[in-house]
Amino acid sequence: MGRIAVIGAGMGAMAAAARLAVAGHRVVVYERAATYGGAVRRFERDGFTFDTGPGLLSLPAVYRDLFVKTGKEPLEACVELVQVDPSSRHVFAEGTEVDLPNASRAGVVTALDEALGAGAGARWGDFLVRAREAWDRTRRPLLEEPLWPNWSVLAEREPYPSVPHKKLLRTRRATTLAEVGAWELRDPRLTALLESHALAHGLDPRVAPASAAVLPYMEHAFGTWYVRGGIRELARAVYERCVARRVEFVFDAEVTGIVEKDGRAAGVELADGTVSEADHVVAGVDPVRLKGLTEHLLHDEGDVRPDTVTARPGRFTVLLALRGAREVGAAHRTIVHTPDRSAELDSLHSVPDDRIRPTVTVLRPDDPALWPDRDHESVVVSAPAPAEGDWTLDDTAERFAARMLSAAEAAVPGLPERLIWREVFTPDHIEEETGAAYGAVPAPALAGGAGRFLHPGNTTRLPGLYLVGGWAHPGGGLPHAGMSGALVSGLIVEGPQFRGSQ
């Protein structure tokens, strides 16, 4: 079997490394940081513990499959998965609140009818039926198979079966997620609920294709899960599975280039000038940050977002250490919606605006492992960050954090009085930790949208060089990263004829 160099120790890269090691390859992972996990990080201070990356998991079957395929211990023997219920609490701008049950269409319909008025639940339920059609049409090509050679078919065809909309003697169908909300849901609160799933990935629903309907569908169909001790525990489990399969990790080792020989990838070059030879190279990093990598991508320049070096929205996170116990009935996740959605969406493509209170996601896990004792609580507040934000300018970051905490008061009773300290993580912190340009967070691949929401394929123009993780097919998000590892390992082990899991 061959020698394989993996660049980066993110979730997709580690998923590929474990699978390749089981197949008999000698795998070495080179990570620029001092630890594993990529964006799945942890912050600890004074007995408080926080996830600084994703805080919840959807589609856990991806990681169950990884653990089944790489050893005798199943995923649940390595981490404790807890289904979150309610899946989320939504606080809308005019003060209405609704708790959405986890993975229950009937429960969600009832909850929306009770909170928003008769008929709201039915409209959302009908939307989920259409979203399932989009999921069924795109699940295999966008999650379980390598990117098709004729990927333009995915770009041109909108898989979401939108409802015809008549206006001024014209009949139109929704092509963006915002149009789905306006024309099919017909309630600004339902629209805000829908669009919050796009915002969570830094997507502007006004340009995101209608097929982004699969994002709320995934949560509805497969549930929302928490890993006891924090999502970082999932990264630990995957790392330990790699080590158990004799994957070698080299930390504080930044790869600066791909070594080429006889027209194929032949190893990696490190920042200190060291060259490590390999039969295959798997790159789990943002392509724009690695010298010469973008020229090897299968798409032509401008076809997909990772080929460009323009600013992309990131995530702004504030960690809160609070005195006082978590109240009975507190939701694990609360989304507090902005009172001015249009202005917030405009700000995604500009500089931070002090007049805008962003939509925030507040995570309050009922997990004693995260607190010094039961008289305290750890809370994570996050929001999409403007793409052009200069967080080092004056007190820009502090002002943005203050607006986030003002919104979070709707989710955490008595927040100002309970606050002991806070830590602010700007997109600059994400860039420093993960190497992602602008601290951007990659979105899942989506069909339609003229191909702008697809990612480079896992194979490249350079034989022996593969892409894995959020910046490659099938895109960002924990389940997508895990699937990218399965796709890359399949392509290396079985060759270009590999067509994904059956």
Side-chain angles (χ1 to χ4, degrees):
M1 289 294 180
R3 298 165 299 174
I4 298 179
V6 178
I7 307 172
M11 298 299 284
M14 290 197 296
R19 290 174 181 271
L20 289 167
V22 167
H25 294 280
R26 179 192 170 195
V27 184
V28 182
V29 178
Y30 298 91
E31 169 56 51
R32 65 189 293 273
T35 188
Y36 55 85
V40 183
R41 297 295 183 95
R42 171 182 285 163
F43 180 84
E44 299 180 65
R45 174 182 164 188
D46 301 339
F48 294 88
T49 301
F50 309 84
D51 281 322
T52 60
L56 293 170
L57 173 67
S58 60
L59 205 58
V62 171
Y63 288 92
R64 290 189 178 112
D65 181 73
L66 171 64
F67 277 73
V68 167
K69 300 291 176 57
T70 60
K72 296 180 180 179
E73 286 186 312
L75 176 63
E76 279 81 354
C78 302
V79 298
E80 182 182 354
L81 290 177
V82 181
Q83 197 164 19
V84 176
D85 202 8
S87 173
S88 58
R89 174 174 294 164
H90 289 261
V91 180
F92 299 104
E94 90 293 355
T96 304
E97 297 186 14
V98 60
D99 286 356
L100 300 182
N102 201 339
S104 170
R105 181 178 180 275
V108 167
V109 167
T110 299
L112 289 173
D113 276 342
E114 292 176 352
L116 308 186
R123 290 197 298 277
W124 184 261
D126 291 344
F127 157 75
L128 287 177
V129 172
R130 294 188 292 275
R132 177 178 179 174
E133 288 190 44
W135 168 258
D136 289 342
R137 292 171 181 175
T138 62
R139 175 179 58 86
R140 283 199 60 81
L142 284 187
L143 194 63
E144 298 176 353
E145 298 178 342
L147 190 62
W148 292 347
N150 60 334
W151 60 268
S152 60
V153 174
L154 295 172
E156 297 163 358
R157 296 179 181 176
E158 171 53 63
Y160 178 78
S162 55
V163 176
H165 172 71
K166 292 184 178 180
K167 186 177 182 180
L168 299 178
L169 303 180
R170 293 183 60 193
T171 299
R172 297 185 58 191
R173 293 180 181 271
T175 59
T176 68
L177 196 66
E179 290 175 342
V180 171
W183 298 349
E184 299 179 14
L185 299 179
R186 304 190 307 280
D187 184 310
R189 296 164 297 183
L190 289 179
T191 298
L193 169 60
L194 171 65
E195 294 183 351
S196 66
H197 291 273
L199 279 173
H201 295 283
L203 294 171
D204 184 340
R206 299 173 302 186
V207 295
S211 66
V214 300
L215 301 178
Y217 175 76
M218 283 178 60
E219 280 198 10
H220 162 76
F222 306 108
T224 304
W225 300 80
Y226 173 69
V227 179
R228 186 72 66 186
I231 292 292
R232 176 67 178 179
E233 286 298 293
L234 178 63
R236 173 198 56 77
V238 176
Y239 169 73
E240 291 180 353
R241 177 56 55 91
C242 286
V243 172
R245 298 299 168 263
R246 299 184 179 180
V247 174
E248 180 183 350
F249 285 82
V250 183
F251 295 107
D252 296 310
E254 182 173 6
V255 173
T256 56
I258 308 296
V259 176
E260 298 180 37
K261 184 178 180 180
D262 298 329
R264 63 174 289 115
V268 296
E269 181 178 353
L270 305 181
D272 62 4
T274 302
V275 171
S276 178
E277 296 182 349
D279 299 298
H280 302 277
V281 176
V282 177
V285 295
D286 185 350
V288 304
R289 295 303 299 266
L290 188 58
K291 180 181 177 182
L293 184 54
T294 56
E295 67 188 50
H296 298 306
L297 303 184
L298 283 178
H299 294 305
D300 294 329
E301 183 178 357
D303 279 346
V304 287
R305 189 178 298 174
D307 283 86
T308 68
V309 195
T310 56
R312 294 163 279 181
R315 181 178 294 120
F316 194 109
T317 303
V318 184
L319 313 179
L320 307 178
L322 304 183
R323 63 175 60 89
R326 181 180 185 271
E327 74 273 12
V328 175
H332 185 120
R333 175 177 59 172
T334 300
I335 299 169
V336 184
H337 296 271
T338 180
D340 192 340
R341 192 171 69 253
S342 295
E344 178 184 38
L345 297 179
D346 287 341
S347 75
L348 287 180
H349 312 286
S350 60
V351 298
D353 188 335
D354 287 344
R355 297 169 297 177
I356 299 171
R357 197 203 74 190
T359 295
V360 299
T361 298
V362 182
L363 297 180
R364 305 178 65 193
D366 186 9
D367 187 350
L370 307 183
W371 322 318
D373 53 56
R374 285 198 170 271
D375 292 325
H376 295 85
E377 184 183 5
S378 302
V379 174
V380 177
V381 183
S382 62
E388 303 290 346
D390 183 354
W391 305 108
T392 64
L393 182 65
D394 297 328
D395 58 348
T396 300
E398 286 299 319
R399 295 200 309 272
F400 195 76
R403 295 197 301 280
M404 290 174 59
L405 296 195
S406 176
E409 291 182 39
V412 185
L415 174 57
E417 297 77 23
R418 296 181 60 195
L419 183 63
I420 302 173
W421 51 258
R422 71 184 187 188
E423 288 282 346
V424 174
F425 283 71
T426 72
D428 293 341
H429 290 92
I430 298 176
E431 181 171 11
E432 181 180 350
E433 288 187 342
T434 69
Y438 312 104
V441 178
L446 299 171
R452 289 177 295 160
F453 300 89
L454 296 174
H455 293 260
N458 305 109
T459 54
T460 68
R461 289 192 179 99
L462 183 65
L465 174 62
Y466 301 83
L467 300 182
V468 74
W471 300 108
H473 179 75
L478 286 171
H480 295 72
M483 277 306 306
S484 75
L487 295 175
V488 166
S489 62
L491 288 164
I492 292 176
V493 173
E494 298 186 24
Q497 69 276 9
F498 176 71
R499 289 294 176 267
S501 58
Q502 299 299 321

